[in-house]
Amino acid sequence: MEIVRCVSCDGYGWFSEDDGSTVDCDWCGGVGYVYRDDRDVDHKIPEAEFGKVADVLEKLEIERLREIGYTGGPKKPWE
């Protein structure tokens, strides 16, 4: 199975409620990513497997952050 961004929370892992609180996404369990099987069905990544897939999750998260404009460095005050 491949690891893909959760379609429910778009990789954030949580949702903001109207009262300002946050709740974890039910689809991914707050991870932001899920396993997708060969039938295109998504499954939560079990906590017991986090260590095994940590490098892949980190790479995917860096890609997602870059898509939304994060460069990895502090913003210069003159920008």
Side-chain angles (χ1 to χ4, degrees), residues 9-65:
C9 67
D10 197 30
Y12 285 93
W14 51 270
F15 296 100
S16 292
E17 297 291 326
D18 291 339
D19 65 1
S21 65
T22 59
V23 293
D24 284 345
C25 174
D26 288 336
W27 282 35
C28 66
V31 177
Y33 299 89
V34 294
Y35 281 137
R36 181 164 292 157
D37 67 22
D38 56 355
R39 296 178 321 206
D40 289 333
V41 176
D42 293 347
H43 307 271
K44 286 182 187 176
I45 300 171
E47 284 186 40
E49 296 183 21
F50 287 169
K52 182 175 83 172
V53 298
D55 290 340
V56 174
L57 291 174
E58 185 173 357
K59 179 183 161 225
L60 291 169
E61 185 63 2
I62 288 168
E63 288 175 15
R64 184 184 76 79
L65 289 171

Side-chain angles (χ1 to χ4, degrees), residues 65-79:
L65 289 171
R66 288 204 172 121
E67 285 176 14
I68 61 173
Y70 179 71
T71 63
K75 186 172 180 174
K76 297 177 181 132
W78 56 87
E79 291 181 344

